[in-house]
Structure formats: C-alpha cells, structure tokens
Amino acid sequence: MVFLFFMKHQQPIGIFDSGVGGLSVWKEIQKLLPGEDLIYLADSMNCPYGSKSPEEIIALSEKNTRFLLAKGCKLIVVACNTATASAIDYLRVNFPVSFVGMEPAIKPAAMNTSTGKIGVLATKGTFEGRLFKETSKKYTAGINTIIQVGEGLVELVESNQFESEAAFELIKKHIQPMVDAGADQIVLGCTHYPFLLPVIEKIVPPTIQIVDPAPAVALRVKNLLIEERISNDRNQGLWQFYTTGDKATLQILLKRITGNELLVSVIGL
Ligand code: DGL
C-alpha cells in the first residue's frame, strides 16, 4: 500500500479533447508542471462533439477515459468544455481518479467588465449544459451576456485553416455583434478557439479583453496534485500524443507550441 502510494506520483496526467483544441490547455499544463508526464488524446475522428447528444458525448468521454486509465493516468483533464458540460458528472461517479474540467470563464469576465457587457463564444453543447446555466445565474446577474455558438470554428481549427480568408469571415460574423454591442470581455468557451487568436485579434480592438481559462485550469491541476500528494517534480516529464483521426493538424500545432517535431500515434478506440 505504501509502495503503491509512493509510485502514484510517477504516473502520467491524461488530457483529452474532441480534437486538437485541448492542446491550448496542454500547453499551459506543461509550462506550469514541466516535471509531469503527460498523455494527450485527441478524439479527432469523432470531432466535433458540440452538436452531439449528451448521451453520445458521455459514451465518447468514457471511451477516452478508459484509454487514459489503461495507460496508468493518475488524474484526467477533460480539456473540452463540451465534454465537461455533458460528461464530467458521469465520469466523476464512475471512475476512481480525479477529473479537472473546463467551463467558460464567465466569472472573471463578469468581475472585470466595466461596460457591464460580456460576450461568450462556445459550442451548442456547452451552452445547453448545467454548468454554464448555473455559473451564469451565479455570476452574471445584472450583466448583459451575449452568447454565440461558434458554428464551424472547431472544424476550421481541425482542418488547419486558422488564418484563411474563410476563417476571418466566419469569426467576424460570430464576434462582431459582441463588439458592436459594447462587450469589453470576450470569453473563449471552447479549447479550440485560442488557436484562432491571430484572426480574432484582427477583429477585436485591444481595449477588449479576450478571456481564456486554460492558465486557471493548469493551476487547478497543480493544486489538486499537491492536495492528493501525487505531484511529480523531476526535471523533464515525458509526453505522448494520440489521435483517433488525422494527425497532421496535431503535429502542426505541436510544432508551433514547442518548436519541435513530436511523435503522434494514430489509434482506433
Ligand atoms: N474543444 C472542444 C470544446 O472545448 C470542442 C467541442 C467540439 O468538438 O465541438 O468545447
């Protein structure tokens, strides 16, 4: 028993998303916790999750979790707002590890707005989930929250069209109404969207704050590891990457984030 406890800190952290988007969270985790081994799973074959039913998303999240647990993960980060919205309660009840989820950062946006108007861009599945409704009710009383489903944006990122003309037009269509309405905070409520920042920043004036919850999620992971006494503080952790779909975009993003060509394995789940 003592031996098992001693070993647990050496086990990897599992991170999954419907696709490549969760790399925006992976990036923050590896920066904050360089000693941890990380296993990233992109379920790109089944992406997008946003238009699927909660039952389908639960089944896919369960499959992703089983894969990561079979690899020995000590903690799992659901680096997907949509999967968190539909599946995190189920996962917490049914699996014996801690889960860290994602939800749109409307609390900091509501606290920091001076115009009293915030914009939230997320998937249909995220807006329909209990978490978003509860958090909105709790923190945005008296605040005008402009919500927008980011129709088509996840697909743009998955197909590596981050900075195309089509991306510009679609992002503008989704975001301009928030800008015009006077929002001074725009929450990126999907982990794919930070990869669209170069285009978003062409549309949004610098006076508007773009809110990405990824750094706060990385901090939550760190604190939970400390609480559970399973942190791994050695010098450089090992990273593994898996995808159920095409690996090209994952490799491009990894090169962009780390500067290196990293190995990605294609798997069937
Ligand atoms: N990255 C996922 C999220 O954070 C994308 C959802 C999807 O696949 O539609 O919501």
Side-chain angles (χ1 to χ4, degrees):
M1 187 64 193
V2 173
F3 178 68
L4 279 179
F5 177 75
F6 176 71
M7 294 301 289
K8 196 171 176 189
H9 74 282
Q10 293 182 6
Q11 292 171 227
I13 296 172
I15 303 167
F16 78 82
D17 178 37
S18 63
V20 300
L23 281 185
S24 60
V25 183
W26 175 88
K27 179 176 151 212
E28 297 301 326
I29 295 175
Q30 58 88 17
K31 213 161 52 181
L32 192 65
L33 301 166
E36 296 289 342
D37 290 352
L38 305 177
I39 301 185
Y40 185 87
L41 170 62
D43 190 16
S44 291
M45 174 70 122
N46 295 299
C47 192
Y49 280 11
S51 47
K52 291 184 166 50
S53 70
E55 293 72 24
E56 283 175 290
I57 298 170
I58 288 173
L60 293 169
S61 301
E62 175 164 7
K63 181 181 58 79
N64 298 338
T65 298
R66 287 194 189 284
F67 173 79
L68 293 171
L69 288 181
K71 296 261 170 217
C73 291
K74 61 184 174 187
L75 179 143
I76 292 180
V77 182
V78 183
C80 175
N81 292 260
T82 313
T84 301
S86 291
I88 201 141
D89 294 342
Y90 176 89
L91 297 175
R92 285 187 171 135
V93 169
N94 287 285
F95 293 99
V97 291
S98 293
F99 289 86
V100 175
M102 305 284 307
E103 64 174 308
I106 45 184
K107 181 181 169 189
M111 281 164 62
N112 293 329
T113 177
S114 0
T115 60
K117 291 171 189 144
I118 66 172
V120 186
L121 191 63
T123 68
K124 183 167 162 279
T126 296
F127 285 131
E128 286 173 357
R130 174 184 62 79
L131 269 177
F132 181 74
K133 288 182 189 144
E134 280 178 11
T135 313
S136 297
K137 202 165 151 202
K138 203 157 154 195
Y139 299 108
T140 61
I143 285 172
N144 181 357
T145 308
I146 304 143
I147 65 166
Q148 175 65 52
V149 173
E151 203 75 62
L153 298 184
V154 166
E155 290 86 338
L156 279 179
V157 177
E158 286 292 315
S159 58
N160 183 27
Q161 297 177 61
F162 316 109
E163 292 169 41
S164 64
E165 187 57 32
F168 181 84
E169 290 308 324
L170 193 59
I171 294 166
K172 193 170 168 66
K173 186 174 142 220
H174 292 325
I175 283 190
Q176 194 65 45
M178 300 176 183
V179 177
D180 293 345
D184 63 349
Q185 309 277 321
I186 295 181
V187 178
L188 301 183
C190 168
T191 54
H192 281 71
Y193 300 164
F195 293 112
L196 299 169
L197 269 174
V199 181
I200 295 175
E201 282 164 355
K202 282 186 198 154
I203 297 161
V204 171
T207 46
I208 295 181
Q209 173 102 31
I210 308 290
V211 192
D212 172 11
V217 169
L219 193 58
R220 173 71 191 130
V221 171
K222 180 178 179 176
N223 289 336
L224 200 54
L225 293 174
I226 293 170
E227 249 170 63
E228 296 188 7
R229 299 169 66 199
I230 52 171
S231 302
N232 197 357
D233 296 324
R234 65 151 187 242
N235 288 338
Q236 177 60 57
L238 301 171
W239 303 331
Q240 294 175 52
F241 303 93
Y242 297 90
T243 179
T244 60
D246 188 70
K247 63 180 175 184
T249 305
L250 199 60
Q251 281 175 319
I252 290 166
L253 289 179
L254 284 170
K255 177 89 201 276
R256 199 190 263 202
I257 297 170
T258 66
N260 296 316
E261 310 275 353
L262 298 176
L263 184 74
V264 174
S265 307
V266 179
I267 48 155
L269 288 183

